[in-house]
Amino acid sequence: MTKFLSLIYGVFIFKTTRLVFVHPSSKVKCKSKIRFGKNFTIGRNCYINALSRDGFICGDNVSMGFHSHVDLTGSLKNVAKGIIIGDNVGLGSHGHFGSGIGGLEIGTNTIIGNYVSFHPENHNFSDLSIPIRLQGVNGIGIKIGENCWIGAKVTILDGTILGNGCIVAAGSVVRDVFPDNVILG
């Protein structure tokens, strides 16, 4: 019954005939900046703010676990780039998916565990006479390859590039460039 209700709600709020499931407890802002393929699912109590230059773009069969948070732009002063997610991607529950000025890309067939967070932006802090919160931000973005497995409670920081087939162990903090088929922990 919940799945059927989510389908009715999803079709209503996105005004589409495609299969889109949005739990009625979820909040979606800037719907015009969201594009998705077939079978898009937003779980219960999710929050999506798609305000950004390029939007929130999802391929086919993308699912977003309950209590997840997609916040592309935190400030109108620095509008975010956007997020691109490939086909067949599962975003675990309680995740934080930020875009920042650098953007976030997640490749096809990637699975992401619960409580994972992506932070494609950093605070400037070089001027000791100005509070850090007033110095602005910088960012180059995050790119996750295809067929990756990101374990639970992983934090991925700005500048990270993961090649295809990478596995990131639960609880890891990741920031660097990694080739295909490596295990990080």
Side-chain angles (χ1 to χ4, degrees):
M1 189 63 173
T2 302
K3 193 75 167 177
F4 179 72
L5 184 60
S6 294
L7 173 63
I8 298 300
Y9 188 69
V11 168
F12 175 74
I13 69 165
F14 283 107
K15 298 178 183 12
T16 182
T17 58
R18 278 190 265 167
L19 287 180
V20 55
F21 302 89
V22 180
H23 195 277
S25 64
S26 293
K27 184 167 188 139
V28 180
K29 293 182 172 185
C30 297
K31 292 180 279 229
S32 65
K33 292 296 222 170
I34 300 173
R35 294 191 303 276
F36 51 85
K38 298 179 289 186
N39 199 27
F40 180 54
T41 302
I42 300 171
R44 68 183 148 82
N45 295 314
C46 291
Y47 174 83
I48 299 175
N49 178 0
L51 177 62
S52 60
R53 291 188 312 267
D54 299 337
F56 181 45
I57 302 166
C58 298
D60 294 340
N61 305 311
V62 171
S63 65
M64 187 171 159
F66 59 92
H67 293 279
S68 286
H69 187 107
V70 174
D71 202 356
L72 277 63
T73 297
S75 163
L76 293 177
K77 184 177 180 183
N78 295 310
V79 175
K81 181 176 181 187
I83 295 177
I84 299 172
I85 299 176
D87 296 336
N88 308 312
V89 174
L91 309 174
S93 71
H94 298 88
H96 172 79
F97 303 89
S99 167
I101 58 175
L104 170 61
E105 294 180 28
I106 299 173
T108 295
N109 294 316
T110 290
I111 52 176
I112 298 171
N114 299 330
Y115 298 94
V116 172
S117 61
F118 293 86
H119 304 275
E121 189 170 82
N122 288 306
H123 290 276
N124 298 325
F125 57 90
S126 61
D127 189 338
L128 299 178
S129 67
I130 300 173
I132 293 171
R133 69 179 186 83
L134 299 176
Q135 292 187 47
V137 294
N138 65 75
I140 56 177
I142 296 172
K143 293 183 181 179
I144 306 299
E146 295 184 359
N147 189 36
C148 291
W149 174 20
I150 313 294
K153 298 182 181 177
V154 168
T155 299
I156 300 184
L157 301 175
D158 186 47
T160 297
I161 299 174
L162 287 185
N164 297 326
C166 290
I167 298 171
V168 181
S172 299
V173 176
V174 181
R175 187 197 175 287
D176 213 336
V177 177
F178 300 93
D180 293 349
N181 304 310
V182 297
I183 299 175
L184 308 167

